[in-house]
Amino acid sequence: MAPITLAALPAHLGFALGLAALSAAIVWLVLRLRIMDVPNARSAHARPTPKGGGLGVVVATMTGLIVQYQVATIARIDDTYFVAVLIGAGAIAAVSFADDVRDFSFRWKLAAQVFAALVPMPFGLMLDTVSLPFLGEVALGPLAWLVTLIWIVFLTNAMNFIDGLDGMCAGIATVAALFLAAIAIVNGGAFVYVAALALAAGCSGFLPFNVPRARIFLGDVGSQFIGYLFAVLGIAAARFDTAPLSMFLVPLLLAAPIFDVAFTLARRALNGERLADAHRGHLYQVLARSGLPALRVSALYWAMTAAAGVAGFRFLTLSPPSKLGVVLGALALLSLYAAWVAARARRAGITAWSGDAPARR
């Protein structure tokens, strides 16, 4: 099968611009629905603000995936897996938009996420093996279902949790998706290239409504859909594309939000706090509360994602020990970032990370 050539790039970029325009049009329409996010003690906004703008991301990205399914010859995977991606993405979009409208409890949100994660698994969209340094390919056997479920649900929630400042989640997703698309096309991963390009287009169409000051929020329909699709693309990249990429590529690209969420969950668990309770203790939230303008915090996360993207180009060519070194190096740098946030919090007099008054956007 012939690879995608550079001659096709202008057509792909033109299609992506069309998807971005479609996303922006849908966001404009959702603004008029007035699905409001009413601020509470844990919110980062001071006045009721429309939410559900992520529907534009969903419609544009799903349109791109459906067109890809219908017309693509090179940039596709086996129909069974392709249908699994479409059904799973549609399921998480439907349940998360319903959550934006009805505001479900965390228990029902988690149940819906588990359902959406399970939807594509009977089609075969699972992590059966992982490639580990020094161990090579490790078969997961009966743990495949559990590992896949945890991966999808965790990343779905991680991108939802990171959506707390103007431009944060959508900006990270745009940068990560663009790098994922670029890395995929350079390495012959045609399906991931086109799918990631569609996601980047959907997010970029939403961003002008969310920065420099939000006129509308992504809502769960946007943030959960973004996390879910990145999780699925990570699996597709590792197993089903024409040129399999590393399963660790998506975690590397999203290292900043993943670390932020994992660090916060671990800190709250060690402090005996209820993990399901709303809080203002994420690293990016504490950084904003320490006095750094919200948009600068978001821009910092965009920059960290871009740095991870640059590393991603080299990552796939490294030996397993070198890949492990990259992962450990990233963890070290992110740990230094957490220490810097803690130092700023101390200087700002923030002692209870989860309970202080939030920064307003």
Side-chain angles (χ1 to χ4, degrees), residues 1 53 87 94 97 109 118 150 161 252 264 281 283 291 348 355 360:
M1 185 176 290
I87 292 177
F97 186 66
K109 290 181 184 181
L118 289 172
I150 291 173
F161 294 158
L252 176 63
T264 302
L283 289 169
R360 296 295 187 182

Side-chain angles (χ1 to χ4, degrees), residues 18 56 63-64 70 121 145 216 271 285 298 308 310 321 349 353:
T63 298
Q70 293 292 334
M121 292 189 197
W145 280 72
I216 188 170
N271 288 342
Q285 293 170 322
S298 294
V310 172
W353 280 26

Side-chain angles (χ1 to χ4, degrees), residues 63-158:
T63 298
L65 289 173
I66 291 170
V67 170
Q68 184 181 3
Y69 178 73
Q70 293 292 334
V71 307
T73 54
I74 298 171
R76 63 182 302 114
I77 50 178
D78 183 271
D79 280 4
T80 301
Y81 304 131
F82 215 139
V83 169
V85 172
L86 293 173
I87 292 177
I92 195 65
V95 296
S96 55
F97 186 66
D99 177 41
D100 280 333
V101 175
R102 299 296 300 273
D103 196 18
F104 300 146
S105 68
F106 178 77
R107 182 181 304 174
W108 285 107
K109 290 181 184 181
L110 184 60
Q113 292 166 1
V114 170
F115 168 76
L118 289 172
V119 164
M121 292 189 197
F123 292 84
L125 195 71
M126 286 193 300
L127 282 170
D128 292 331
T129 63
V130 293
S131 181
L132 299 177
F134 308 110
L135 297 178
E137 292 286 334
V138 177
L140 296 176
L143 291 177
W145 280 72
L146 180 61
V147 171
T148 304
L149 177 65
I150 291 173
W151 163 243
I152 294 177
V153 171
F154 173 78
L155 197 57
T156 298
N157 278 292

Side-chain angles (χ1 to χ4, degrees), residues 263-286:
F263 177 89
T264 302
L265 289 175
R267 181 190 59 77
R268 299 190 75 223
L270 291 172
N271 288 342
E273 300 174 33
R274 284 172 52 87
L275 299 184
D277 288 349
H279 65 93
R280 293 289 299 162
H282 283 287
L283 289 169
Y284 75 89
Q285 293 170 322
V286 175

Side-chain angles (χ1 to χ4, degrees), residues 152-303:
I152 294 177
V153 171
F154 173 78
L155 197 57
T156 298
N157 278 292
M159 297 308 288
N160 187 27
F161 294 158
I162 210 71
D163 182 32
L165 295 177
D166 295 343
M168 174 68 80
C169 180
I172 290 172
T174 300
V175 175
L178 286 173
F179 271 102
L180 180 59
I183 294 169
I185 193 60
V186 167
N187 290 276
F191 168 78
V192 172
Y193 157 67
V194 176
L197 190 62
L199 178 58
C203 292
S204 62
F206 166 80
L207 268 175
F209 296 87
N210 198 236
V211 290
R213 192 171 187 86
R215 286 186 282 161
I216 188 170
F217 299 150
L218 268 176
D220 286 355
V221 65
S223 59
Q224 291 189 29
F225 176 82
I226 288 169
Y228 182 92
L229 196 57
F230 269 120
V232 169
L233 287 179
I235 298 171
R239 293 200 56 208
F240 304 121
D241 210 340
T242 52
L245 308 176
S246 171
M247 174 58 204
F248 296 101
L249 183 57
V250 168
L252 176 63
L253 290 172
L254 298 177
I258 287 174
F259 178 85
D260 192 318
V261 170
F263 177 89
T264 302
L265 289 175
R267 181 190 59 77
R268 299 190 75 223
L270 291 172
N271 288 342
E273 300 174 33
R274 284 172 52 87
L275 299 184
D277 288 349
H279 65 93
R280 293 289 299 162
H282 283 287
L283 289 169
Y284 75 89
Q285 293 170 322
V286 175
L287 187 57
R289 286 161 48 203
S290 74
L292 195 67
L295 193 55
R296 291 189 185 180
V297 178
S298 294
L300 174 60
Y301 276 71
W302 303 344

